[in-house]
Amino acid sequence: SYNRRMLIKKAPDIRSSEITPKSVYLRRREFIQASAAALVAAGFPSMANPAEAQGGGLAKLPNVQKSPLSTNETPSLYEHITSYNNFYEFAPGAGDGPKNNSKNFKPRPWKIKIDGLVGKPGEYDIDDFIKPYTLEERVYRFRCVEAWSFVIPWVGIPMAEVIKRVEPQPKAKYVEMTTLQDTGRFPMQRTDLLPWPYIEGLRLDEAQHPLTLLAVGVYGEVLPAQNGAPIRLIVPWKYGFKGVKSIVRIRFVENQPRNTWQIMAPSEYGFYANVNPNVDHPRWSQAREKRLPSFVPNRKTEMFNGYTEQVASMYKDLDLRKNF
Ligand SMILES: Nc1nc2c(c(=O)[nH]1)N[C@H]1C(S)=C(S)[C@@H](COP(=O)(O)O)O[C@H]1N2
Ligand SMILES: [Mo]
């Protein structure tokens, strides 16, 4: 099976090989297609009743302000947002694996480090890190590169405020964010499924954009493990893979960081990852999407995931076909 082959595979350093990642990657896609088909056959796992739709019984976040930056679209059910996830540290592919395999995950103790080209580097306990900020609820559209989508009421802190506080140096042009590396907490990090730890990057102006959020909750509660507890990135005009989960490090750098999916398959995943219905993925169209729990494409995908007015000016000098 897919998993057995993955686990016994003896890959050389995945970062230096162009051949191994491709084969790993193709098997990954077979797995994803198989698991999506199985879900359709079985029906979506547990249709939540309306009483459960407003949360999952985790700790409520205090003093959450509603943000004017929310979409008016109806949020997807909590049960759906937390039962169909992509989080390779817990399980390969998208589905209910991350939920099932993260039941014992503890998002404390947790430290987050700010370093690189900043005036005020530091390492914080996660609760001290969050404390100075007002939490905002932002209902955002979410679009995965694999053409599924949700509407998600995140709770978080604007990344721009964090950046202001740490005082980036003029040489800082990009921000790199890294997931925790801990095989005790993330079982799949014992395998070479991905080059761990998961890494993502943004241009500094993208990171400072008012829509960019460091999410610490969903539906008014702390994040469940499978959605990236205790803190993860949300960039609503980009494909979901930009949203690095369970962050422990935010580093300010001069050069464009590489990101995990770019390392795995550079011909298929770029740095920018802007949602763009006019640029197909090499092996599938991006014109439409499946708003879960539908597994049939039921909507057109919008340029920049519907956030064109707010973000297009950042890309006016960029060829969006080359810079995918
Ligand atoms: N650390 C880490 N972050 C990650 C991933 C991952 O495998 N590991 N998957 C990414 C991908 S491809 C997607 S689509 C989103 C999914 O977020 P969600 O499960 O909250 O919907 O998380 C992103 N962040
Ligand atoms: Mo994704």
Side-chain angles (χ1 to χ4, degrees):
S1 76
Y2 171 88
N3 279 312
R4 279 261 303 288
R5 275 189 285 152
M6 289 304 310
L7 299 180
I8 61 177
K9 182 178 64 65
K10 290 205 183 60
D13 180 6
I14 215 158
R15 289 164 206 265
S16 62
S17 163
E18 288 296 329
I19 296 159
T20 305
K22 184 78 180 174
S23 62
V24 166
Y25 160 80
L26 290 172
R27 273 176 276 150
R28 165 181 176 261
R29 295 295 151 172
E30 284 166 30
F31 176 91
I32 289 166
Q33 269 152 25
S35 60
L39 263 176
V40 175
F44 203 87
S46 106
M47 297 301 289
N49 73 49
E52 284 172 333
Q54 298 307 312
L58 299 182
K60 281 249 174 263
L61 289 161
N63 307 320
V64 176
Q65 311 245 313
K66 303 251 182 226
S67 166
L69 297 172
S70 290
T71 158
N72 299 323
E73 284 176 66
T74 307
S76 307
L77 293 184
Y78 183 89
E79 183 67 14
H80 294 161
I81 294 167
T82 59
S83 304
Y84 194 86
N85 298 97
N86 188 301
F87 202 166
Y88 274 64
E89 285 80 346
F90 289 119
D96 60 0
K99 178 184 185 172
N100 295 334
N101 295 351
S102 66
K103 299 231 189 294
N104 299 320
F105 180 80
K106 300 235 172 5
R108 297 290 186 287
W110 197 272
K111 286 197 185 305
I112 185 161
K113 186 202 260 179
I114 309 273
D115 67 344
L117 304 171
V118 283
K120 293 187 171 163
E123 192 170 26
Y124 308 80
D125 179 78
I126 185 69
D127 297 304
D128 297 332
F129 177 76
I130 296 166
K131 207 178 291 165
Y133 306 100
T134 304
L135 296 179
E136 292 186 22
E137 183 180 80
R138 301 262 186 96
V139 185
Y140 281 161
R141 286 178 289 274
F142 173 94
R143 171 59 157 81
C144 175
V145 74
E146 283 162 320
W148 45 275
S149 71
F150 280 129
V151 177
I152 306 187
W154 300 111
V155 177
I157 55 186
M159 179 99 186
E161 290 185 23
V162 173
I163 294 175
K164 199 161 96 192
R165 191 175 286 259
V166 301
E167 299 175 6
Q169 296 168 9
K171 270 172 72 177
K173 296 287 182 288
Y174 294 89
V175 185
E176 178 193 79
M177 282 156 274
T178 308
T179 295
L180 174 72
Q181 173 104 38
D182 179 350
T183 52
R185 277 157 147 176
F186 290 139
M188 294 309 282
Q189 287 181 342
R190 291 192 199 109
T191 75
D192 57 9
L193 191 57
L194 292 184
W196 314 108
Y198 196 100
I199 296 175
E200 258 305 339
L202 292 173
R203 231 167 49 191
L204 189 59
D205 61 327
E206 297 177 319
Q208 288 170 315
H209 191 280
L211 287 170
T212 304
L213 199 66
L214 283 170
V216 297
V218 64
Y219 267 108
E221 300 176 355
V222 296
L223 286 174
Q226 63 269 32
N227 291 81
I231 187 163
R232 57 90 56 91
L233 180 69
I234 300 295
V235 196
W237 67 95
K238 292 180 183 281
Y239 292 121
F241 69 86
K242 276 277 161 186
V244 47
K245 294 175 170 180
S246 305
I247 297 169
V248 291
R249 184 177 187 191
I250 301 177
R251 187 162 74 107
F252 291 75
V253 295
E254 189 170 359
N255 300 314
Q256 188 180 95
R258 296 200 73 198
N259 60 52
T260 297
W261 284 108
Q262 208 180 5
I263 292 163
M264 287 296 282
S267 61
E268 305 206 351
Y269 303 100
F271 175 79
Y272 280 94
N274 287 321
V275 175
N276 188 342
N278 308 312
V279 175
D280 288 345
H281 183 278
R283 286 176 295 110
W284 62 82
S285 164
Q286 294 290 23
R288 296 175 65 74
E289 68 198 55
K290 300 156 256 191
R291 176 65 53 83
L292 271 61
S294 170
F295 280 101
V296 178
N298 56 359
R299 347 178 351 117
K300 277 169 84 170
T301 286
E302 292 176 70
M303 189 65 200
F304 295 118
N305 202 25
Y307 297 95
T308 297
E309 219 179 288
Q310 296 99 313
V311 305
S313 66
M314 287 192 291
Y315 308 106
K316 62 180 179 344
D317 300 324
L318 214 59
D319 178 345
L320 294 177
R321 287 192 172 272
K322 279 198 201 128
N323 295 282
F324 54 84

